[in-house]
């Protein structure tokens, strides 16, 4: 009898203790947290302070976490994101829709870049000053309409907003080399948003122009800023095609990108910022390539970059500002503790996440 009880006790130890021990890793004689434990630490940092962030930042975080976990605790963050989208579309529908109003709005947006001295901002100002309506159409209107669409919603004046989109030929922005070198990731998002909305399809035109703007043979001639812009553009072609962590990807449909990332991962780790590195790893996870060496290399890089005093991944200047680091750290969580993509939330399938709709949004 004693022996049987002892065996039962030992079995309980194995069940409850061994998984905990296996969650930690021994490296160089030191015990370090597992990737999942580090993800949990970053998650705790953000979720204890989530609603100190802006609606945009809280919504960005909450939507990605919902699509990973389907946990209803993120519903409030998603509602605040819906409210932000509704507010923007209400403004455009009622106040900024005539050519003259759009011109004034766009020039005001452009003016915010005039005094910026960082390389990225100067490139964006120079590329966009001759076509400032890109700020209205690409940066603001398309993103808001696409997000509403992802929720299974549309603006009550959707027909009028679509008529505005149709005034423009987006190919002009998507294939301009200077625009690509200033806005690669954003253009990738926007051409896929247009396709998602059933409007002009210039995805292939953009991809062709992108490859011409950034030939692989000239990588060594690129500044770190431009190299980062190239990699960021590549990852966003993939992420946009997944509709931002909603659908799995097929490697074969983007073989040239996966081949490039795989062949250049060591250079990417040396020359890119942490958020871009996380996105590289996530694109492999979206394609079911969790055993590819690229995934482990990116995970290990992000883990090594963590500031354990504040439990987050700092910026390249070692800033641990919560707001500025939200994008970088939610990506780190996803990379280190990947779950699975979910096409959610939609008002049709998860109605509890949409207890009430912000004014201006209606079901599709």
């Amino acid at each position: 009898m004693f022996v049987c009880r002892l065996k039962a006790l030992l079995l309980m130890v194995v069940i409850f203790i061994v998984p905990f021990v296996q969650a930690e890793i021994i490296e160089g004689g030191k015990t370090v947290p597992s990737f999942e434990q580090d993800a949990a630490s970053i998650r705790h940092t953000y979720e204890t302070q989530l609603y100190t962030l802006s609606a945009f930042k809280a919504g960005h975080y909450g939507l990605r976490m919902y699509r990973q976990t389907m946990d209803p605790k993120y519903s409030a963050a998603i509602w605040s994101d819906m409210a932000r989208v509704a507010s923007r579309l209400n403004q455009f529908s009622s106040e900024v829709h005539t050519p003259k109003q759009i011109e004034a709005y766009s020039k005001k947006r452009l003016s915010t870049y005039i005094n910026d001295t960082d390389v990225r901002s100067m490139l964006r100002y120079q590329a966009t000053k001759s076509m400032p309506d890109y700020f209205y159409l690409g940066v603001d209107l398309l993103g808001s309409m696409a997000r509403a669409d992802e929720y299974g919603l549309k603006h009550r004046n959707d027909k009028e907003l679509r008529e505005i989109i149709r005034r423009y030929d987006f190919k002009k922005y998507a294939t301009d080399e200077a625009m690509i070198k200033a806005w690669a990731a954003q253009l990738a998002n926007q051409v896929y948003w247009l396709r998602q909305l059933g409007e002009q399809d210039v995805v292939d035109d953009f991809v062709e122009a992108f490859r011409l703007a950034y030939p692989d043979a000239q990588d060594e001639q690129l500044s770190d800023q431009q190299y980062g812009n190239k990699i960021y553009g590549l990852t966003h072609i993939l992420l946009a095609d997944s509709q931002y962590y909603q659908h799995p990807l097929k490697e074969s449909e983007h073989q040239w990108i996966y081949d490039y990332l795989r062949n250049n991962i060591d250079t990417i780790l040396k020359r890119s910022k942490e958020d871009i590195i996380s996105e590289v790893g996530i694109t492999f996870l979206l394609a079911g390539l969790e055993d590819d060496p690229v995934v482990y290399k990116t995970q290990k890089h992000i883990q090594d970059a963590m500031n354990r005093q504040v439990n987050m991944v700092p910026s390249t200047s070692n800033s641990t500002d919560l707001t500025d680091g939200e994008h970088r750290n939610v990506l780190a969580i996803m990379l280190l503790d990947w779950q699975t993509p979910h096409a959610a939330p939609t008002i049709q399938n998860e109605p509890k996440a949409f207890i009430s709709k912000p004014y201006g949004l209606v079901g599709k």
Side-chain angles (χ1 to χ4, degrees):
M1 181 68 72
F2 174 76
V3 173
C4 291
R5 289 180 178 176
L6 181 59
K7 286 182 178 179
L9 180 60
L10 288 174
L11 180 60
M12 290 178 64
V13 169
V14 169
I15 291 172
F16 293 105
I17 301 299
V18 170
F20 176 78
V21 173
Q22 288 179 338
E24 296 182 333
I25 303 167
I26 305 298
E27 288 186 356
K30 295 182 179 180
T31 302
V32 297
S34 67
F35 295 143
E36 293 82 2
Q37 285 176 319
D38 276 333
S41 296
I42 301 171
R43 191 181 298 113
H44 178 77
T45 297
Y46 270 86
E47 295 187 9
T48 54
Q49 305 174 76
L50 186 59
Y51 295 104
T52 67
L53 303 180
S54 67
F56 176 77
K57 292 288 185 178
H60 183 274
Y61 179 95
L63 180 57
R64 279 147 185 77
M65 287 293 95
Y66 191 96
R67 286 175 176 170
Q68 281 283 283
T69 67
M70 299 295 287
D71 192 326
K73 73 179 181 179
Y74 300 111
S75 295
I78 290 168
W79 198 94
S80 69
D81 185 62
M82 278 195 295
R84 177 190 63 82
V85 168
S87 177
R88 174 66 57 82
L89 294 178
N90 288 338
Q91 178 192 12
F92 289 165
S93 175
S94 62
E95 301 174 14
V96 190
H97 51 85
T98 69
K100 187 174 181 179
Q101 290 168 337
I102 293 171
E103 180 183 11
Y105 177 93
S106 301
K107 286 183 176 179
K108 184 176 180 180
R109 291 279 274 111
L110 176 67
S111 69
T112 64
Y113 284 81
I114 291 176
N115 296 319
D116 289 340
T117 57
D118 64 285
V119 174
R120 185 182 70 174
S121 294
M122 290 191 291
L123 284 171
R124 290 181 173 181
Y125 177 76
Q126 290 299 322
T128 320
K129 66 180 181 180
S130 63
M131 47 180 110
D133 41 12
Y134 170 75
F135 285 105
Y136 173 86
L137 177 65
V139 178
D140 293 339
L141 178 59
L142 277 178
S144 297
M145 289 182 67
R147 179 62 58 78
D149 180 77
E150 290 169 15
Y151 288 141
L153 303 171
K154 64 181 181 180
H155 192 263
R156 61 194 183 98
N157 291 330
D158 179 72
K159 181 179 178 181
E160 291 79 3
L161 293 174
R162 287 175 179 270
E163 288 174 355
I164 294 173
I165 292 175
R166 293 168 191 163
R167 295 178 199 166
Y168 300 88
D169 180 2
F170 204 80
K171 186 176 179 179
K172 175 179 69 171
Y173 315 107
T175 60
D176 183 272
E177 182 176 343
M179 287 290 287
I180 291 170
K181 291 185 174 180
W183 301 95
Q186 290 73 23
L187 286 168
N189 295 343
Q190 292 146 10
V191 296
Y192 273 95
W193 285 335
L194 272 172
R195 174 184 280 182
Q196 173 188 327
L197 291 168
E199 297 296 334
Q200 186 181 10
D201 192 338
V202 291
V203 170
D204 293 342
D205 298 287
F206 166 74
V207 169
E208 181 182 358
F210 179 92
R211 298 185 76 171
L212 290 172
Y214 286 117
D216 297 345
Q218 295 181 14
D219 279 358
E220 292 185 3
Q221 301 171 33
L222 297 175
S223 66
D224 284 347
Q225 191 278 333
Q226 276 297 287
Y227 186 75
N229 192 62
K230 173 180 179 175
I231 306 304
Y232 206 22
L234 290 174
T235 61
H236 272 251
I237 291 171
L238 298 173
L239 298 180
D241 193 23
S242 78
Q243 288 198 347
Y244 310 94
Y245 322 106
Q246 292 195 86
H247 307 287
L249 297 173
K250 291 184 179 179
E251 178 182 2
S252 59
E253 293 181 357
H254 299 281
Q255 196 64 57
W256 68 278
I257 301 182
Y258 281 103
D259 287 345
Y260 176 86
L261 296 175
R262 191 177 281 118
N263 293 335
N264 293 276
I265 185 58
D266 292 335
T267 302
I268 292 169
L269 295 176
K270 291 177 183 176
R271 299 190 66 185
S272 301
K273 295 180 179 180
E274 276 66 34
D275 49 357
I276 297 175
I277 290 169
S278 288
E279 288 191 349
V280 170
I282 290 170
T283 62
F284 278 72
L285 292 167
L286 278 164
L289 301 170
E290 58 271 4
D291 295 327
D292 193 290
V294 167
V295 175
Y296 177 79
K297 286 185 176 184
T298 57
Q299 289 173 327
K300 184 59 179 166
H301 179 96
I302 295 302
Q303 182 180 63
D304 291 345
M306 276 191 66
N307 179 331
R308 298 191 183 282
Q309 292 182 321
V310 292
N311 284 324
M312 61 185 294
V313 179
S315 71
T316 53
S317 62
N318 290 318
S319 169
T320 54
D321 181 85
L322 200 71
T323 296
D324 292 343
E326 181 274 326
H327 179 266
R328 181 171 59 252
N329 280 276
V330 74
L331 290 168
I333 294 169
M334 294 167 67
L335 174 66
L336 296 175
D337 189 18
W338 179 253
Q339 304 298 310
T340 188
H342 294 98
T346 67
I347 192 170
Q348 293 81 11
N349 296 332
E350 290 81 31
K352 290 184 179 179
F354 301 84
I355 295 174
S356 62
K357 295 186 294 294
Y359 175 78
L361 296 181
V362 297
K364 288 198 296 183

